[in-house]
Amino acid sequence: MCCRVAQGPKKDRLKKKVKAKAADNNASPRLNLAPTQDALVARMVSEEIRLDALRWGLIPPWAKDRAIANKLANARAETIDEKPSFKQPFKKRRCLLPVDGYYEWETRSDGKQPVYYSMRDGDLFCLAGLWESWTEPVVTESPLLPGLEFGQAEPATLHTFTLITTTPNRLAKRVHDRMPVIVPPDDYATWLAPNTPASVLKSLLRPFADEPMQEHYVTRRMSNPRYEAPDCNTAVDLN
């Protein structure tokens, strides 16, 4: 599972990491980014990579309302080409979420303790994801007065994404039995390209090597998704 990430404040740095041609200005990177919030996500649009603001929590095109997004913040790599919600976007609509790090929670005798995972060299890295576009159904008839039609409203379209998880590497396994899929930089173009064979895509959905990664404990205040401060991913000493 992956339910919280840090996406630093410098958009140009994110843009450079994924070699994006353009970046949406409608999302502000956060150090405590949670599902239902907007993130800057790299995807292929008209044969070029863009950083667009997408809502975390995938809503399939057939969904009746937004509530399903709460259940689809993550997708399991093992069944991603089988589940109805993920099968089509896995084939055609893949994306990358550039991050400074991600968080998991360790169960301790005194409660849940957040742990922050990042790269030893301090560089950004990209998590594999899928994206969808969902158009909110327009209600044209009053539920209280059948037969009384409302005026036709302009349907709202929402772009959403989910992050893919896999089995953990040795570092992540200490805290959790899942970790997000981290795509190596040399494979960014392969993952985003619309015509990459499924067999190649599946080969990328593996645990990332643990040697380049590091972990440290962070403040428990960031467990509240409304907490957004510079110390969200700052190391704390529990001794």
Side-chain angles (χ1 to χ4, degrees), residues 25-26 31-32 70 96 119:
N25 292 321
N26 292 326
L31 294 179
N32 192 11
N70 296 323
L96 293 168
M119 294 298 164

Side-chain angles (χ1 to χ4, degrees), residues 91 100 146:
K91 290 180 180 179
D100 290 281

